[in-house]
């Protein structure tokens, strides 16, 4: 069944609500004749009277009133849908990221992001889980991994390198000039970053290490290294700030490239897409600057 044109249904709805073709015309910014013509065509198509003149009023018939009420209900649903879409597109961008990356890389750049991208309406959600981006309210994520992720778009921001770091004070107590010198220094362990990867890359067998402090949190391990408790095997992206400020030092030049890196991840069907892509482009430019400074 073919439905009447939308303009015809809105003319009927406004006329039934106002009991007046003239008031309906004023509301719809058309002429009285246009409303009258639309309703007359609809009456001819349906084969039933929809309005009866009573003095200066156009009273809807039972059929006209019922149809007008149905159109009113449908228009209300459309308005709610449009408003929901508008709200979804206009709310703050919710960014999900891990605690270590948030505190050691992201937080130092938020002020610059706001200044360079305009008014930045951003909510940072720090969590130690992989955000779904479709059901949990997050719009974008900064993920550490290899990718790609099914159903999601992503762009690689930072590739990671592993290298030893320690405090200036520890380096004075335990001079480190070559990889073998690490055997005489306390080595901090991380459950996900084994020292074996670095020793093997340097062409050395993995030594039997004495008992030492171990961590499953990168930020805590780097803080322990900055306090002089030992040498940590650090990821380049997370140790950048401490190295720049002199809390940590690289006693050796050797480093290991790893496959995993930091990615900006989003959904292509997100209603905030235009703003997400603007934020993505800023992150890509920001990390490119960092790469250029290292080259």
């Amino acid at each position: 069944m073919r439905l009447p044109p939308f303009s015809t249904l809105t003319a009927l709805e406004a006329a039934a609500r106002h009991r007046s073709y003239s008031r309906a015309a004023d509301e719809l910014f058309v002429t009285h004749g246009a409303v009258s013509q639309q309703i007359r065509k609809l009456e001819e198509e349906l084969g039933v009277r929809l309005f009866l003149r009573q003095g200066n009023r156009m009273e809807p018939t039972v059929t006209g009133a019922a149809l007008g009420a149905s159109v009113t209900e449908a228009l209300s649903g459309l308005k709610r849908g449009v408003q929901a879409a508008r709200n979804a597109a206009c709310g703050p961008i919710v960014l999900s990221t891990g605690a270590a990356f948030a505190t050691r890389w992201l937080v130092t750049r938020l002020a610059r992001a706001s200044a360079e991208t305009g008014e930045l309406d951003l909510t940072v959600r720090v969590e130690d889980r992989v955000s779904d981006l479709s059901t949990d309210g997050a719009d974008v994520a900064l993920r550490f991994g290899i990718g790609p992720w099914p159903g999601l778009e992503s762009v690689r921001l930072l590739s990671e390198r592993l290298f030893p770091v320690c405090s200036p004070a520890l380096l004075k107590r335990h001079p480190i000039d070559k990889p073998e010198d690490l055997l005489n220094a306390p080595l901090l362990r991380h459950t996900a970053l084994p020292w074996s990867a670095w020793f093997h890359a340097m062409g050395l067998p993995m030594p039997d290490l004495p008992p030492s402090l171990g961590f499953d949190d990168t930020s805590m391990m780097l803080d322990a290294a900055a306090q002089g408790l030992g040498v940590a095997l650090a990821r380049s992206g997370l140790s950048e700030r401490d190295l720049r400020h002199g809390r940590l030092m690289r006693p050796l030049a050797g480093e290991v490239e790893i496959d995993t890196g930091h990615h900006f991840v989003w959904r292509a069907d997100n209603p905030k897409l235009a703003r997400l892509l603007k934020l993505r482009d800023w992150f890509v430019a920001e990390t490119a600057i960092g790469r250029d400074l290292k080259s």
Side-chain angles (χ1 to χ4, degrees):
M1 180 184 68
R2 184 180 66 86
L3 291 175
F6 183 77
S7 59
T8 299
L9 294 175
T10 55
L12 165 83
E13 190 274 339
R17 185 161 32 84
H18 289 294
R19 266 58 173 181
S20 168
Y21 288 1
S22 297
R23 291 180 182 175
D26 291 341
E27 179 180 303
L28 299 174
F29 299 100
V30 298
T31 65
H32 177 284
V35 173
S36 178
Q37 185 179 29
Q38 292 275 22
I39 293 175
R40 185 167 62 252
K41 287 182 178 180
L42 183 57
E43 288 178 330
E44 291 173 356
E45 180 178 340
L46 298 178
V48 63
R49 291 293 300 273
L50 299 174
F51 288 88
L52 296 172
R53 177 174 293 279
Q54 294 184 3
N56 293 328
R57 296 168 62 86
M58 296 299 297
E59 289 290 338
T61 63
V62 173
T63 301
L67 182 54
S70 295
V71 176
T72 298
E73 183 179 356
L75 290 175
S76 296
L78 287 173
K79 290 177 181 177
R80 288 193 297 272
V82 170
Q83 187 60 48
R86 181 176 291 115
N87 291 342
C90 294
I93 296 173
V94 178
L95 183 149
S96 171
T97 185
F101 197 67
T103 57
R104 296 196 172 264
W105 191 91
L106 178 61
V107 72
T108 64
R109 290 165 169 80
L110 288 179
R112 189 159 63 252
S114 182
E116 296 178 2
T117 62
E119 188 64 30
L120 184 61
D121 193 5
L122 179 68
T123 298
V124 178
R125 200 167 74 188
V126 178
E127 50 194 356
D128 293 323
R129 65 183 181 89
V130 177
S131 181
D132 181 78
L133 297 190
S134 60
T135 61
D136 59 8
D139 297 303
V140 298
L142 299 177
R143 286 188 181 173
F144 181 67
I146 297 177
W149 290 271
L152 300 176
E153 304 292 323
S154 65
V155 60
R156 193 180 185 98
L157 298 176
L158 292 170
S159 296
E160 285 281 23
R161 295 163 289 123
L162 301 179
F163 44 73
V165 297
C166 64
S167 70
L170 183 135
L171 196 57
K172 289 181 180 179
R173 300 195 309 269
H174 300 278
I176 300 173
D177 299 313
K178 55 187 181 300
E180 292 84 352
D181 292 337
L182 288 175
L183 302 180
N184 299 318
L187 299 185
L188 304 178
R189 295 177 294 104
H190 191 289
T191 55
L193 296 175
W195 273 100
S196 57
W198 189 83
F199 277 104
H200 291 160
M202 298 301 107
L204 298 172
M206 179 61 190
D208 293 328
L209 298 178
S212 60
L213 285 173
F215 302 87
D216 62 4
D217 180 86
T218 302
S219 288
M220 185 176 294
M221 180 183 69
L222 293 178
D223 285 339
Q227 294 297 320
L229 298 182
V231 182
L233 186 60
R235 283 163 35 193
S236 53
L238 300 186
S239 59
E240 173 193 284
R241 184 182 65 180
D242 291 319
L243 291 169
R244 188 170 63 249
H245 293 165
R247 295 180 70 230
L248 292 174
M249 300 177 60
R250 291 184 59 175
L252 299 168
E255 59 186 28
V256 181
E257 294 279 351
I258 57 177
D259 293 333
T260 49
H262 296 280
H263 301 253
F264 186 97
V265 183
W266 73 98
R267 292 187 64 88
D269 58 356
N270 191 298
K272 305 172 188 174
L273 184 62
R275 290 190 293 140
L276 300 188
L277 296 182
K278 184 177 181 180
L279 184 63
R280 176 206 62 186
D281 292 345
W282 184 88
F283 272 105
V284 170
E286 175 70 13
T287 52
I289 291 173
R291 290 193 293 272
D292 291 342
L293 292 176
K294 294 182 180 69
S295 61

